[in-house]
Amino acid sequence: MVTVRLKVNGVAHEGRCEPRKLLVDFIREDLGLTGTHVGCEHGICGACTIMFNGEAARSCIMLAVQADGAELGTVEGLMRDGKLHPLQEAFREHHGLQCGFCTPGMLITALDLLRTNPSPSDREIREGISAVLCRCTGYQGIVNAVRAAAPILASGR
Amino acid sequence: MSEARWIGKSVKRVEDARLLTGRGTYIDDHPPVANVCHAAIVRSPLPHAAIRGYDLSAALALEGVVGAITGADVARHTKPFSVGVTAPIHYYCAATDRVRFVGEPVAVVVAKNRYVAEDAADLVRVDYGPLPVVVDPERALDTTAPVLHEAVGSNLAGNRRLVYGEPDRAFREADVVLTERFSFPKYGSTPIETYGVIARWDPIDGVCTVWSNFMGPFIMHPLTARVLGLAENKLRFIVPTDIGGSFGIKSSIYPYIALIALAAMRLSVPVKWIEDRREHLLASSSGTDRVAYRELAARKDGTILGMRFKWLDNVGGYIRSPEPGCSFRPTGNFVGPYRFQHLEVDASVVMTNKSLTGPNRGYACGHLYFETEGMMDRLADRLGLDPAEVRRKNLVQPDQFPYRTPSGGLYDSGDYPAVLERALQLARYDELRREQAKARATGRYVGIGLALAVDPSVSNMGYVATALDPQFRAKPEYLPKSGAVDAATIKIDPLGRVIAILGTTPQGQGHQTVVSQIVADELGLAPQDVTVVDEMDTFTRVWSISSGTYSSRFGSVGTSAVALAARKLKAKLVEYGAHLMELPVASLEFRDGAVRPRSGKGPSYSIKDLAGRAHWNTESLPEGMEPALQATAVFGFTVAKAVDAQDRVNSSNTYGFIAEVMAVEVDPETAAIQILRYVTVHDAGTIINPMIAEGQIYGGALHGLGGALYEELAYDEHGQFLTGTFMDYLVPTASEAPQIDIAHIVSPSPLTPLGSKGLGESSSMTVPAVIANAVSDALAPLGIWINELPMTPSKLWTAMARACRSHAKSEGQR
Ligand code: FES
Ligand code: FES
């Protein structure tokens, strides 16, 4: 067993786990943050995407021990003062989700895209979110949501 | 209905807030019982082998392992599942004496956590005696092919030859007869959330409780109870509110429910199993791969006289219910939107060493229309007609509704020519043709495809019996099957607020939102005044064997139950109001959330007022009125009848219609397909929430596109599985997803209180056809007709290179 100390959504946590424990399992099981989902466990579907020291990363192909000392962001940390984040609001407005299973990874990935490219073209949005698989929406609602949220996020910066 | 304030509006979804903030309750988030142990399933690495023995010693010796069960326990303590054919096929929840596909479960190891369970699963030794393998459905019917089920004697699980009208005469009298062979790939919609099951056995009460992301049909509940040797009221299925997508695939989870329940019962601990992606691709479910031989008989003017279908549907190692729905689910709409009366269908269901099949979005209709619409284009080509013209000529006309098809379907409403014309107009079809001619002149491969489909919703349970011989069905001991029902309960609390309770299992379709819209309109409330509970529980919900969220059901049958429950309640409120006002019931109505005089004059009683009085003072109720304000309605279609002696059956209950136009360009160098334009027009009757409806169309279209271009659960000829990760099994990403122009025409269904029909499968059934036709049209200068999916770049490139070479040769010879 090893000790892992990290910050998630600004809150410090400490846990003990086997060295082989996946980061996503640690987040879900040990920290009880079940918003981050597992869709493939081999780094392709993107459902498990989180913010890792400010950049999007797949928590299913990392070990919890690798996150010792790191700052993570998960979907549970997106709301501010009890209100939906503008990107969450845009997903709701533009029907960017159906079953919601890809959604946490999709939100984090889209935020990462908008961080590096605040006013992406539709093609850039599609490329940016192609790191996450969605089986429900055909992606159009997601593209519309990201496009709509971009200027709102840019002006809030 | 009072007035439609909310129905027809793109009301934002109530589900979204929780799903956007990571507060969904999916099966893997679910801690319903304490001290749950975790299962790993040991699976066969071989496609076909006898099981000679098991050695569990090393696995059981590992620290943290609770126990294990094998196929031997399955054989001893469970029964095989009943199958939809009469052939003696013994399908258990795990292999008992022989494995028949790679990934078939052979044992389950249970441990304190999943990591240890997987370690232990690796230590289980199974002694296999390899057997010869067959994966191709045509090869499987060879007399020399290895036989999977010796008791059956061949690999044919079933065959039916269905004859409607006089197809032989139609073919004799035809001016033109066309034939073609098609093949359709094995693919599955692979929801991002995999299967999950949690089972708890209570030996004192004798009740087994199973939480899972099962989507129905709940006929599988009694079947599973029988397998486990439990009375049906001792097996409790609970489905959490949130399911991470399904598209038909999660209807086939029930063998795992039995397997994990058995593990919990034998080992006396609660057991949880979450499928991983490799397992899902290996051994969850998919549509069938099919080889089809088609024949079409027509007159010179393009009028179709008849068709012949010969199908070989590959259901894999066993036939798992509801198969052979792969052949018979579309029985009523075999003829699609066309008027021809003579049809012969020769459907063979074949077993090979591949994984098992079942419903997948568009269940069997993607196959059907890929073939039929391909034939329509070949007919147009042969006769020198425009593909739109040849379709127009054969469409069922608006004045023919309700239209009875030769195979027993009853199309409830529609205006097929109007939908087709709208699609052509939206696509600017004539202009597209002109642009195509110009592009062709410069050597570009631009093509335009059309596809039409009758979109069946709400399966009638009775269709499954089409698989059985009429003589068998005529036996006195045979029990006919029919039906499609759904239930809803609505309660009004003492302050006039409403809770609606459903037994449905939505997987992203937004039932809570849609129901809040319907109830709000019926009871004159706002959607936010209505709380909708849709957590299925077989112990507490009103349900029947056809319950569940499948075959595009909810928009048609589920919404009908909700509307009827609300209307029952409204009638009660009016009766109560009449009693309080001492006025005749007929002089009052329920309008804008209150019982009021029809004349508009005089006092009124609001819902809140009536609810408070009714709950607090039962003395105020009229004599004979049941106290409390709640109503349950069970809606069932009366047009759902059992299959008749001539094999005619109304296999669905409401029938929508789809017309699509797609323009593509094929790159001469790389064979890459670019979609230039894609138009889809739907008629699904009354649309309750256009935003949600369009979401279904986008999603359905991308599933069709995946199957047409990218996705295939592929095997080599030795039966080894080749696509076990998302790196090999290619799911379309946002970069591959097309933009879509969507329009609706509304022909309300006369069979549902709101006029709505289903729409969930939608374009998944048309896209394979429309894109294959568009690519065939693009490659017409090379003489290439697409008759095989998926059209991977390598396949297409090879065909183009071959065509170019033979083209060059024939030029050279000239
Ligand atoms: S679960 Fe991590 S990428 Fe799929
Ligand atoms: S919303 Fe279901 S997978 Fe994306």
Side-chain angles (χ1 to χ4, degrees), chain B residues 265-285:
Chain B
M265 291 166 82
R266 301 301 309 158
L267 303 174
S268 297
V269 288
V271 178
K272 174 173 178 174
W273 168 70
I274 302 293
E275 184 191 50
D276 69 25
R277 181 56 58 186
R278 187 177 145 274
E279 293 182 284
H280 187 86
L281 290 164
L282 257 179
S284 60
S285 189

Side-chain angles (χ1 to χ4, degrees), chain A residues 72-120:
Chain A
L72 311 187
T74 68
V75 67
E76 287 91 346
L78 295 182
M79 278 176 90
R80 286 278 173 277
D81 311 322
K83 282 225 281 289
L84 293 183
H85 182 281
L87 186 64
Q88 291 172 314
E89 199 54 73
F91 266 62
R92 194 171 123 82
E93 189 63 31
H94 295 275
H95 198 29
L97 67 157
Q98 289 180 26
C99 79
F101 203 78
C102 71
T103 309
M106 199 60 97
L107 288 167
I108 301 285
T109 303
L111 279 176
D112 195 45
L113 165 72
L114 295 176
R115 184 178 60 84
T116 50
N117 181 356
S119 59

